[in-house]
Amino acid sequence: MLQITKPYLLFLAEEQDETNAKTAMGLRDWAPEDCVGQWGLPGCTIDLGLPTLRPAEAYDRGARSLLVGVAPVGGAIPDSWLPALLEALDAGLDIVSGMHTRLVDIPVLRERAEALGRNLHDVRHAGRSFPIATGRKRSGKRLLTVGTDCALGKKYTALAITRELQRRGIKADFRATGQTGVMISGGGVAIDAVVADFIAGAAETLSPDNDADHWDVIEGQGSLFHPAYAGVTLGLLHGSQPDAFVLCHDPTRKTLSRYPDFPLPSLRHAVEVYLTMGRVTNRAIRCVGIALNTSRCTEEERARALAAARDETGLPAFDPLKDGVGAAVDLLETI
Amino acid sequence: MLQITKPYLLFLAEEQDETNAKTAMGLRDWAPEDCVGQWGLPGCTIDLGLPTLRPAEAYDRGARSLLVGVAPVGGAIPDSWLPALLEALDAGLDIVSGMHTRLVDIPVLRERAEALGRNLHDVRHAGRSFPIATGRKRSGKRLLTVGTDCALGKKYTALAITRELQRRGIKADFRATGQTGVMISGGGVAIDAVVADFIAGAAETLSPDNDADHWDVIEGQGSLFHPAYAGVTLGLLHGSQPDAFVLCHDPTRKTLSRYPDFPLPSLRHAVEVYLTMGRVTNRAIRCVGIALNTSRCTEEERARALAAARDETGLPAFDPLKDGVGAAVDLLETI
């Protein structure tokens, strides 16, 4: 199993788009005690509010791994990053990456790491295989966060629900399905890197049989309405067999992020489609709330979006970061 | 690119279940000129109607590859097959396999093949990568075969439609997405072996831009109603962007094959769900027919099933092997 040495220096490369920096932001928000500083290259406009440190300074302050905190589309590591990654190895840091391109497949990195005795952790490539899904109903209860699009709060919502359940004294575990979630929780499966035939099987493995009153809170991925990622979303939905789901949505988006020709579904349609597809492996699946990401809204827009979501779906609507997730967890307590 | 040396000796191992022998049956039916004989081990009850030959006899009759024609659940190659596979190599044959387990990862096979100068072809592992799907609308027309379950005629239906289009003088290509289809056509993508994030991207690559009046007829995989494989099905549906689909169904099944706790969807529900999900990447998607696999029906059952399918859906219903696919192709000519 993966053994990452913390704490981290968060590497931001030349990134200018916050959507691409969600790995770094997720670590800062959900594992702040593990983040010593940030490091951007010339051109980078992302500021996480952490001290800006070069690798040697970060090492002196305790950092032991450089964590690649950005993920450009396609998941490749550009050559322009290599001097920085080599500087990190030279300074004493391991490197942790969730990119599709493996660090260990880049000869100059592999050779330097071997020469210096550093570790290259490719979190997205767990290096293990999974069984074909059986569809067998497992004991314990499960919630999955789903979305109208990518990158709008599914991980945050799942983490917030896990914490609220635990705060109420209810047994609960967060189950990570993406590289950031795995980096935060120290376990899980990068589900989009699994061979297609085994997506649902990997999801079954991720949330095994548990106590009848235990909740697995599973981080969702992608969207059933996304032209590139819906297969991952559906396999995860089927293998998770969720008793409940929360639909995550950004009310300021009219089209899918990066896919301007693809309109977002209505909330009502999205809930219906997730219910229809989820019933394949759990007839009792229900939606327990709409999680709105209102980070780009004024207070007035926020209030209007929440009211509209409640009206349209008849379900609790909330921004997990601003309102908490108590309304959804209240419903979970009735399941 | 893959270069397979034909013709084949079809290897049936100890198989007793025809569903597991669909690779061999597909080759016999769709590429009979490439099949010199069959070879089962003790316990095998499958008979393809071909001459039973050992590898040395098959080689003398022209065979140049042993083709693994069965696929037990999970896709692993059992140790009990190894003496037979080694005998084939010794007799002068290459080995072609569509199993998840790679021939080249079995040391005894790899070493013998290297020593003798034979090739081990793992058709399921193309060894290439694919882009993330863009969702961009491509030129040309596309049909995808879909199903209520696995292993009920999606490949046969696609091959039959391709031939009927060509017979009518319409430009058409069969696009293979499974190992048998790839073995028959000599090209394509084993879509269930692609990394999950790239399913739809691989499907986009499989049917590139083409003439406006050209049909790509794409072999479907799995089912949106299958607890293990629906992710593959949805990614293939989205990346294919089909203008038309044919729903394949076995009227004698009440539950999914091997998943007795999972009832089949009604035809009407299945058509609606495929339309709903297909509209994500092609608003104009339509269903042009119901292909019933009536191979296990009496004539009376067959007639009743076809009439019931027509009544339930309002669409043409036919058994591609018995009735042809002209009714669906008539509708394609209107698109």
Side-chain angles (χ1 to χ4, degrees):
Chain A
M1 286 296 290
L2 196 66
Q3 287 292 341
I4 296 176
T5 309
K6 298 177 180 180
Y8 300 128
L9 172 62
L10 302 180
F11 180 61
L12 300 171
E14 304 107 340
E15 194 55 59
Q16 305 193 341
D17 182 342
E18 286 209 344
T19 305
N20 288 344
K22 64 178 183 170
T23 298
M25 292 191 287
L27 267 291
R28 175 201 59 189
D29 292 343
W30 291 96
E33 67 284 6
D34 294 327
C35 300
V36 168
Q38 65 185 27
W39 184 32
L41 301 179
C44 174
T45 57
I46 308 290
D47 183 0
L48 304 170
L50 297 171
T52 293
L53 303 173
R54 303 273 302 208
E57 300 169 285
Y59 185 89
D60 288 342
R61 297 202 195 180
R64 288 300 173 265
S65 293
L66 181 85
L67 189 146
V68 178
V70 295
V73 175
I77 294 174
D79 287 347
S80 60
W81 297 8
L82 295 180
L85 299 180
L86 291 169
E87 181 178 331
L89 293 173
D90 289 340
L93 303 177
D94 292 343
I95 306 178
V96 180
S97 166
M99 310 280 283
H100 270 296
T101 303
R102 295 173 204 244
L103 297 168
V104 299
D105 287 340
I106 300 175
V108 65
L109 291 182
R110 189 181 59 240
E111 287 160 18
R112 187 74 61 92
E114 282 174 1
L116 295 170
R118 310 278 182 262
N119 294 305
L120 301 176
H121 292 297
D122 288 297
V123 174
R124 194 179 281 257
H125 302 270
R128 62 161 294 185
S129 61
F130 295 95
I132 295 284
T134 67
R136 182 183 67 80
K137 174 84 177 149
R138 305 188 296 285
S139 55
K141 294 181 277 196
R142 284 162 194 84
L143 177 140
L144 176 69
T145 53
V146 302
T148 54
D149 192 3
C150 300
L152 42 61
K154 290 186 286 286
K155 177 177 66 269
Y156 278 48
T157 302
L159 285 161
I161 290 172
T162 308
R163 291 190 180 178
E164 178 62 16
L165 284 164
Q166 291 169 341
R167 198 189 63 78
R168 296 188 187 190
I170 298 167
K171 287 179 275 186
D173 283 299
F174 171 73
R175 300 298 186 186
T177 61
Q179 64 271 27
T180 307
V182 171
M183 290 169 183
I184 293 170
S185 72
V189 176
I191 195 92
D192 61 2
V194 170
V195 170
D197 232 7
F198 303 99
I199 306 171
E204 290 186 348
T205 303
L206 179 66
S207 68
D209 283 307
N210 213 314
D211 298 341
D213 58 349
H214 175 277
W215 280 95
D216 267 334
V217 183
I218 303 160
E219 176 193 6
Q221 292 294 332
S223 164
L224 289 182
F225 306 95
H226 197 288
Y229 305 120
V232 171
T233 307
L234 185 57
L236 178 59
L237 175 65
H238 282 173
S240 297
Q241 304 177 351
D243 304 283
F245 69 89
V246 169
L247 176 67
C248 302
H249 177 66
D250 178 343
T252 67
R253 294 187 199 175
K254 300 302 170 214
T255 57
L256 294 181
S257 174
R258 301 175 197 285
Y259 288 76
D261 295 334
F262 288 82
L264 286 195
S266 71
L267 293 175
R268 185 196 295 248
H269 180 64
V271 168
E272 280 171 10
V273 169
Y274 278 108
L275 286 171
T276 298
M277 303 314 289
R279 284 190 190 113
V280 168
T281 60
N282 189 339
R283 299 296 303 171
I285 188 172
R286 56 181 289 196
C287 184
V288 294
I290 310 295
L292 294 187
N293 179 335
T294 62
S295 56
R296 279 177 282 196
C297 295
T298 65
E299 267 309 301
E300 192 188 321
E301 287 166 346
R302 184 174 113 75
R304 200 161 43 212
L306 289 166
R310 287 183 197 110
D311 285 351
E312 184 181 344
T313 64
L315 292 162
F318 46 85
D319 184 324
L321 293 181
K322 295 186 178 154
D323 308 306
V325 294
V329 174
D330 289 346
L331 285 178
L332 294 186
E333 291 208 61
T334 70
I335 295 178
Chain B
M1 286 296 292
L2 196 67
Q3 286 292 343
I4 296 177
T5 309
K6 300 175 178 181
Y8 300 128
L9 173 63
L10 302 181
F11 180 60
L12 300 171
E14 304 107 341
E15 196 54 59
Q16 305 193 342
D17 182 342
E18 287 209 343
T19 304
N20 288 345
K22 65 177 181 167
T23 297
M25 291 190 288
L27 267 291
R28 174 201 60 189
D29 292 343
W30 291 96
E33 67 284 7
D34 294 326
C35 300
V36 168
Q38 63 184 29
W39 184 31
L41 301 180
C44 173
T45 57
I46 309 291
D47 184 359
L48 304 171
L50 296 171
T52 292
L53 303 173
R54 304 273 302 207
E57 300 169 283
Y59 185 89
D60 288 343
R61 297 202 195 181
R64 288 299 175 263
S65 294
L66 181 85
L67 189 147
V68 178
V70 296
V73 175
I77 295 174
D79 286 347
S80 61
W81 296 9
L82 294 181
L85 299 181
L86 291 168
E87 180 177 332
L89 292 173
D90 289 340
L93 303 178
D94 293 342
I95 306 178
V96 180
S97 164
M99 311 280 282
H100 270 297
T101 302
R102 296 170 203 245
L103 298 167
V104 297
D105 286 341
I106 300 175
V108 64
L109 290 181
R110 190 181 56 239
E111 287 159 18
R112 188 73 62 93
E114 282 174 2
L116 295 169
R118 309 278 182 262
N119 294 305
L120 301 175
H121 291 298
D122 289 296
V123 174
R124 193 178 283 257
H125 302 271
R128 62 160 294 185
S129 60
F130 295 96
I132 297 284
T134 66
R136 182 182 66 80
K137 174 82 177 149
R138 304 188 296 287
S139 55
K141 295 182 275 194
R142 285 162 193 83
L143 177 140
L144 176 69
T145 53
V146 302
T148 55
D149 192 2
C150 300
L152 42 61
K154 290 186 285 287
K155 177 175 66 270
Y156 279 48
T157 302
L159 284 161
I161 289 172
T162 308
R163 291 191 179 178
E164 178 63 16
L165 283 165
Q166 291 168 341
R167 197 188 63 77
R168 296 188 187 190
I170 298 167
K171 287 179 273 185
D173 283 299
F174 171 72
R175 300 297 185 187
T177 61
Q179 65 272 24
T180 308
V182 171
M183 290 167 182
I184 293 170
S185 73
V189 176
I191 195 90
D192 61 2
V194 171
V195 169
D197 232 7
F198 302 100
I199 306 170
E204 290 187 348
T205 303
L206 179 66
S207 68
D209 283 307
N210 213 315
D211 297 341
D213 58 347
H214 176 278
W215 279 96
D216 267 333
V217 183
I218 303 160
E219 176 192 6
Q221 293 293 332
S223 163
L224 288 181
F225 306 95
H226 197 288
Y229 305 121
V232 171
T233 308
L234 185 57
L236 178 57
L237 175 64
H238 281 173
S240 297
Q241 305 176 350
D243 304 284
F245 68 89
V246 169
L247 176 68
C248 302
H249 177 67
D250 179 343
T252 67
R253 295 189 198 174
K254 300 302 170 216
T255 58
L256 294 181
S257 174
R258 303 176 198 286
Y259 288 75
D261 296 333
F262 288 82
L264 286 196
S266 71
L267 292 175
R268 185 195 295 248
H269 180 64
V271 169
E272 280 171 11
V273 169
Y274 278 108
L275 286 172
T276 298
M277 303 313 289
R279 286 190 189 113
V280 168
T281 59
N282 189 339
R283 300 293 306 171
I285 188 173
R286 55 181 288 194
C287 183
V288 295
I290 311 295
L292 294 186
N293 180 335
T294 62
S295 56
R296 280 176 282 197
C297 295
T298 64
E299 268 309 301
E300 191 188 324
E301 289 165 345
R302 183 175 114 75
R304 201 162 41 211
L306 288 167
R310 287 183 199 112
D311 285 350
E312 184 182 344
T313 64
L315 292 163
F318 46 84
D319 184 323
L321 293 180
K322 294 185 180 154
D323 308 305
V325 293
V329 174
D330 289 346
L331 285 178
L332 293 187
E333 292 208 60
T334 70
I335 293 178

